[in-house]
Amino acid sequence: MSNTTTLKTEYKDRIVASLMTEFGYKSTMQVPVLKKIVINQGLGLAVADKKIIETAVNEISTITGQKAVATYSKKDISNFKLRRKMPIGVMVTLRNEKMYEFLERLVRVALPRIRDFKGIESKLDGRGNYTLGIEEQIIFPEINIDNISRILGMNITFVTSAKTDEEGYALLREFGLPFKNAKKELI
C-alpha cells in the first residue's frame, strides 16, 4: 500500500505548489483536485450473449481492485434487439486510495504497454474533465491474455474539480498522463 500514497503525497507536496504558481491561485483550496475516475465499458454484444457481461465485470474488477457493476438499458430499441433493463455495459467508479492506485498503474504500467504509443489526445470536455478511450483491456498486467475470449475497449473518465479545460489539463499533466503535446501549451 505504500505505493498508493506516492501520487497522493506528490499531489500535496509538488502538484499543488506547481499549479498555484502556474495559475496564480491565492489559496490551496482553489487548486483543482481529481475527484473520481469512472471506468465504463459499453457492451452491445451482450444482447446476444449474457456471459460477456459476467466476464467484463470480472475483468474490470480485477483491473481496478473494486467490484464493477453491470449497466442496464433504459428503453426498448427494436433495431438493436434491445429490451428495457437488459445488461449492456459495465462500469466502476473509483475514489480516494483506489483512484490514486489505479491512476498510478495506468500511467506507469498500462499506457506504456500500448503498441506504437505516442501519447494520448489532449481534448477535454469544456469543464476540466477528460475521457480516455482504450481499445484493448490487455494493456493491463492484471489481465491474463490466455483467458481472454474477446478484446474489449473501455472509456476512462477523469473527473476533476477544475473550472476550465486548461486547469484540468494542467492537473492531469502533473499527475503524469502522457499527453501528445505536453511540450506545447494549450492556447
Side-chain angles (χ1 to χ4, degrees):
M1 277 303 222
S2 66
N3 230 5
T4 330
T5 50
T6 54
L7 267 183
K8 204 174 194 174
T9 51
E10 191 177 325
Y11 173 76
K12 286 186 186 122
D13 300 346
R14 182 185 66 79
I15 297 175
V16 169
S18 166
L19 291 176
M20 280 187 80
T21 52
E22 188 176 336
F23 291 101
Y25 296 127
K26 303 266 183 285
S27 157
T28 53
M29 297 306 284
Q30 292 176 291
V31 178
V33 293
L34 187 58
K35 288 204 232 168
K36 62 185 176 181
I37 296 177
V38 181
I39 293 112
N40 185 16
Q41 215 171 27
L43 302 166
L45 310 157
V47 172
D49 184 1
K50 296 283 179 272
K51 285 202 294 292
I52 293 176
I53 291 287
E54 205 175 294
T55 311
V57 165
N58 292 337
E59 281 179 3
I60 298 283
S61 299
T62 305
I63 289 170
T64 60
Q66 184 173 311
K67 183 91 172 92
V69 294
T71 53
Y72 297 93
S73 58
K74 292 188 172 92
K75 56 187 177 189
D76 297 346
I77 303 174
S78 61
N79 290 355
F80 299 127
K81 294 183 176 66
L82 188 64
R83 296 280 159 256
R84 196 161 175 260
K85 294 206 166 94
M86 277 177 98
I88 52 166
V90 175
M91 70 162 289
V92 64
T93 302
L94 303 173
R95 289 185 170 88
N96 303 328
E97 297 297 321
K98 283 207 165 73
M99 172 185 74
Y100 285 112
E101 214 170 89
F102 174 76
L103 179 60
E104 185 141 357
R105 282 200 320 269
L106 178 74
V107 170
R108 303 228 164 102
V109 181
L111 289 176
R113 291 176 63 160
I114 297 175
R115 210 171 339 157
D116 303 331
F117 186 65
K118 291 181 179 61
I120 57 180
E121 289 300 327
S122 55
K123 189 94 181 80
L124 280 78
D125 71 350
R127 291 184 296 282
N129 304 319
Y130 179 69
T131 299
L132 166 66
I134 289 184
E135 289 172 20
E136 29 192 55
Q137 80 276 40
I138 54 176
I139 64 165
F140 291 98
E142 296 87 356
I143 297 290
N144 182 350
I145 201 157
D146 302 331
N147 303 345
I148 295 292
S149 56
R150 180 177 266 114
I151 298 285
L152 299 169
M154 65 186 78
N155 286 335
I156 302 174
T157 303
F158 301 92
V159 180
T160 69
S161 64
K163 302 277 185 282
T164 65
D165 278 356
E166 197 182 348
E167 293 169 303
Y169 174 83
L171 174 69
L172 295 172
R173 186 193 64 221
E174 292 291 336
F175 270 125
L177 281 180
F179 289 109
K180 277 183 186 159
N181 58 358
K183 279 109 192 122
K184 294 179 273 187
E185 282 303 304
L186 282 176
I187 299 159

